[in-house]
């Protein structure tokens, strides 16, 4: 129990923060420690209860994979970069014209990363955003970059973060991960499901056998 409590203190940054985060008083600590000890015992009991359940077989794993293929599809991803300029709200046209001039330099063959490092409000890694799927960036940004081809330079466009110019370095179509890549994940999922089912059945069985006595 002491180890669990120490980890809890570490996660919350000390006892004072723990009490504040859980809206507790120092007088509540004995009850909290008792609850932690009870949870440890319950977890250990459940582990002991299910430790001898058979592991999922290859047929089980294959069947789960085939029935849940959508879970294992990697979405379309792109590797993109951008130059962004946050405009002065009083004079947004100034930033827009600067970005249009930068785009012409890019179309003429200047290096995207170099111009991003020199001019972008977000200069890290030459504006390189790495690989990402749709939904990871602002909706307006996604709408532009996921409609582009590799090597294309976008028009200047506006999002809530400012004016952008984007380029796409590479693309990956969505793909189904092979069974070998997700096999262990499936095994763990099936083990959890079987354990939960076994525990639920065990509880139902013992509830039906329980004798409730009422003292007068």
């Amino acid at each position: 129990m002491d180890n669990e409590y120490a980890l809890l203190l570490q996660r919350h940054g000390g006892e004072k923060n723990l009490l504040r985060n859980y809206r507790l008083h120092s007088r509540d600590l004995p009850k909290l420690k008792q609850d932690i000890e009870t949870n440890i015992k319950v977890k250990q009991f459940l582990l002991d209860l299910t430790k001898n359940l058979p592991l999922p077989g290859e047929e089980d794993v294959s069947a789960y994979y085939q029935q849940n293929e959508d879970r294992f599809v990697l979405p379309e991803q792109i590797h993109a970069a951008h130059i962004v300029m946050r405009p002065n709200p009083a004079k947004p046209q100034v930033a827009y014209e600067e970005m249009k001039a930068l785009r012409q330099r890019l179309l003429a063959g200047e290096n995207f990363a170099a111009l991003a490092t020199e001019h972008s409000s977000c200069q890290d890694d030459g504006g390189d955003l790495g690989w990402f799927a749709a939904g990871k960036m602002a909706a307006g940004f996604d709408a532009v970059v996921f409609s582009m081809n590799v090597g294309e330079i976008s028009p200047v466009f506006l999002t809530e973060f400012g004016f952008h110019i984007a380029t796409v370095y590479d693309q990956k179509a969505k793909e189904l991960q092979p069974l070998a890549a997700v096999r262990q994940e499936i095994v763990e999922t099936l083990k959890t499901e079987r354990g939960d089912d076994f525990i639920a059945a065990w509880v139902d069985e013992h509830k039906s056998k329980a004798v409730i006595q009422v003292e007068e």
Side-chain angles (χ1 to χ4, degrees):
M1 189 276 291
D2 290 338
N3 288 339
E4 290 287 336
Y5 184 66
L7 289 172
L8 189 63
L9 290 180
Q10 184 178 0
R11 285 199 298 270
H12 289 271
E15 193 168 86
K16 184 177 180 180
N17 288 335
L18 172 67
L19 292 173
R20 183 176 66 249
N21 293 341
Y22 280 108
R23 298 181 180 179
L24 299 174
H25 299 283
S26 56
R27 64 177 179 271
D28 299 314
L29 284 176
K31 177 64 166 58
L32 176 62
K33 292 179 180 180
Q34 183 181 5
D35 290 344
I36 292 173
E37 185 174 2
T38 299
N39 286 337
I40 292 172
K41 290 179 179 178
V42 170
K43 287 180 182 178
Q44 188 58 54
F45 172 75
L46 295 178
L47 285 173
D48 291 341
L49 192 64
T50 59
K51 66 182 179 181
N52 292 323
L53 290 177
L55 292 174
E58 196 58 42
E59 289 185 3
D60 300 317
V61 173
S62 296
Y64 187 92
Y65 177 75
Q66 292 169 10
Q67 294 164 9
N68 297 274
E69 284 189 351
D70 288 350
R71 288 188 53 186
F72 307 114
V73 173
L74 293 175
E76 176 190 2
Q77 296 183 71
I78 61 171
H79 179 193
H82 75 144
I83 299 170
V84 59
M85 189 174 293
R86 299 184 182 94
N88 181 334
K91 299 179 180 179
Q93 190 66 24
V94 173
Y96 178 68
E97 293 299 331
E98 287 184 34
M99 291 290 277
K100 283 176 63 179
L102 287 175
R103 182 173 186 269
Q104 291 304 313
R105 292 170 64 180
L106 291 167
L107 293 174
E110 290 197 45
N111 182 270
F112 196 99
L115 287 182
T117 300
E118 184 177 354
H119 297 282
S120 182
S121 300
C122 180
Q123 300 171 341
D124 294 347
D125 300 317
D128 193 336
L129 297 169
W131 287 95
F132 58 93
K136 298 296 184 182
M137 303 293 178
F141 190 86
D142 273 359
V144 173
V145 295
F146 278 92
S147 66
M148 294 171 61
N149 297 316
V150 172
E152 186 178 352
I153 303 295
S154 76
V156 178
F157 63 98
L158 181 65
T159 74
E160 60 264 43
F161 300 105
F163 290 108
H164 301 259
I165 303 168
T167 190
V168 174
Y169 291 141
D170 204 353
Q171 296 172 325
K172 292 179 184 176
K174 71 176 183 178
E175 61 175 338
L176 175 64
Q177 298 177 82
L179 175 58
V182 296
R183 186 182 188 284
Q184 191 56 41
E185 177 186 344
I186 294 174
V187 168
E188 294 302 322
T189 298
L190 290 174
K191 283 170 61 178
T192 299
E193 289 181 356
R194 288 183 177 185
D196 290 345
D197 290 344
F198 184 85
I199 291 167
W202 185 91
V203 170
D204 287 343
E205 178 186 353
H206 285 74
K207 279 170 61 178
S208 66
K209 296 178 180 178
V211 177
I212 300 175
Q213 295 181 339
V214 179
E215 295 184 1
E216 296 182 358

